[in-house]
Amino acid sequence: MTAGASEYGVDIAIDDTAVADLLAVTPDDVDAPEALTFARNVFVPLTTACRYTCTYCTYFDAPGQASLLSLEEVRDICHNGADAGCTEALFTFGDDPDDRYTEIHAQLEEWGHDSIHTYLRDACEVALEEGLLPHANPGDQTREQLATVADVNASMGVMLETTAEVGAHAGPRKKEPGQRLRTIKNAGELDVAFTTGILVGIGESWRDRAESLLAIRELHNRYDHIQEVIIQPVVNNERWDEGSPALETMRRVTAMARVALPEEISVQVPPNLAPARDLIDCGVDDLGGVSPVTDDHINPDYKWPALRELEAIADSAALPLRERLPVYERFLPADLRPDAFDGVAADGTAGASDGRDPSADRQWISPTIRGALEADDAAGRRYRAVLDGESLSTR
């Protein structure tokens, strides 16, 4: 059982044999992918407030200093992103920021909102109006909170980080692995295409890394909802000076991820934080969301690579580079998937564990998101161009 999981209603049993098998994996045990993918996005840091104070994170600001974007600011960011050919609006903010930030709570109340989640919903609707598909990362989410915004998101995500209790999750309100696992479980029950991942180098052991990957696999096996798993190294910044994991560590844990996870789940590394060129042969097939417009507000010292740099990474591995949407093709209805799709469709074979008919169709995208994908406007044409695999130079 992973740390604290049962307390949050998540029953996950990690088999010792599976852990031992995974710990024996090396990069020689995996194959390189057939292609690399990435998404073109804009980063929308809705608020820099967070109830947590993790020692490696520069994203959060102290109470009294934290900011909250207005919907007008959100619209400007999204408009610029759409003009630059982006397809994704990546919404980030700290966990329950209105929980301990009185100024943030007061501002939300002034704008007619009783929580950050109803405000996020309005922000996602602005993104859709500007021609971007929302992908929100709102941290720990109850089922009710997740349901508030799920239908206006093409996909969502939260980093598991680790199933271990580590000192880097400092302070009186430290992150609890069980809460993160519950969020991933909630997403599965609500048919949300989901991104998660592990953070490498924050004090976790090798066994912790193996257990974290196996916990993700266990939840995916129940709900068939994980689209990608990020293998992200911690990096030095103004709050963290203990260094990043060694290259050999990253190569080994990336290979472990590829072996642990089903084929339909992409293994992603962020190219501004990880040595992507040296990890592709360990099973990496996705380079994440990269923005031509905005900074990486979580890691502002580490610039996004330009498209030509992504192409150089792909060229170094002799692989094609393809753009994708923030929701993977396997979660789209069959009539929206391109004819060339040859992956594993998310066809509703999971779901029996939460009382539903496992053979019933699951609604992975809402009518709102489907309407955006089908729209006969500039955004809809942009989405379809990505799905049809138009060359990057023609967009």
Side-chain angles (χ1 to χ4, degrees), residues 155-236:
S155 60
M156 296 183 70
V158 68
M159 289 288 283
L160 171 59
E161 296 192 3
T162 180
T163 55
E165 295 183 355
V166 294
H169 290 162
R173 299 187 180 196
K174 64 181 181 179
K175 284 179 180 171
E176 297 287 348
Q179 286 184 312
R180 303 305 247 198
L181 291 166
R182 181 182 64 182
T183 299
I184 300 171
K185 174 177 179 283
N186 289 339
E189 291 178 347
L190 291 170
D191 296 353
V192 177
F194 211 68
T195 292
T196 187
I198 64 172
L199 191 55
V200 184
I202 56 172
E204 78 288 356
S205 69
W206 277 104
R207 181 181 178 90
D208 296 331
R209 293 163 184 163
E211 289 188 351
S212 298
L213 292 167
L214 291 170
I216 293 170
R217 182 176 75 182
E218 171 76 11
L219 289 171
H220 175 75
N221 286 343
R222 295 181 196 177
Y223 302 108
D224 193 29
H225 68 309
I226 304 297
Q227 60 178 11
E228 59 193 7
V229 169
I230 305 168
I231 309 301
Q232 179 174 324
V234 68
V235 292
N236 278 340

Side-chain angles (χ1 to χ4, degrees), residues 10 23 38 58 101 115 131 149 181 231 242 252 272 323 385:
V10 185
L23 289 174
F38 78 102
T58 61
Y101 288 70
S115 77
V149 296
L181 291 166
I231 309 301
E242 298 184 32
R252 181 182 167 195
N272 62 325
E323 188 173 352

Side-chain angles (χ1 to χ4, degrees), residues 118-149:
T118 60
Y119 188 60
L120 172 61
R121 182 180 181 86
D122 280 5
C124 289
E125 290 175 344
V126 167
L128 285 164
E129 290 168 4
E130 292 299 322
L132 298 181
L133 296 171
H135 172 96
N137 286 266
D140 295 334
Q141 298 282 283
T142 66
R143 184 178 174 125
E144 180 182 22
Q145 289 169 338
L146 200 61
T148 299
V149 296

Side-chain angles (χ1 to χ4, degrees), residues 324-386:
R324 62 167 174 81
L325 298 179
V327 57
Y328 278 52
E329 292 174 9
R330 76 186 204 90
F331 293 101
L332 299 179
D335 61 317
L336 293 184
R337 291 196 295 265
D339 293 339
F341 175 76
D342 61 357
V344 179
D347 59 2
T349 55
S353 63
D354 62 346
R356 294 180 297 189
D357 179 357
S359 65
D361 289 337
R362 301 181 70 180
Q363 300 301 312
W364 292 108
I365 62 168
S366 68
T368 299
I369 300 301
R370 183 180 181 117
L373 290 166
E374 292 181 316
D376 186 19
D377 57 16
R381 291 189 290 273
R382 189 164 63 247
Y383 305 147
R384 287 190 291 277
V386 172

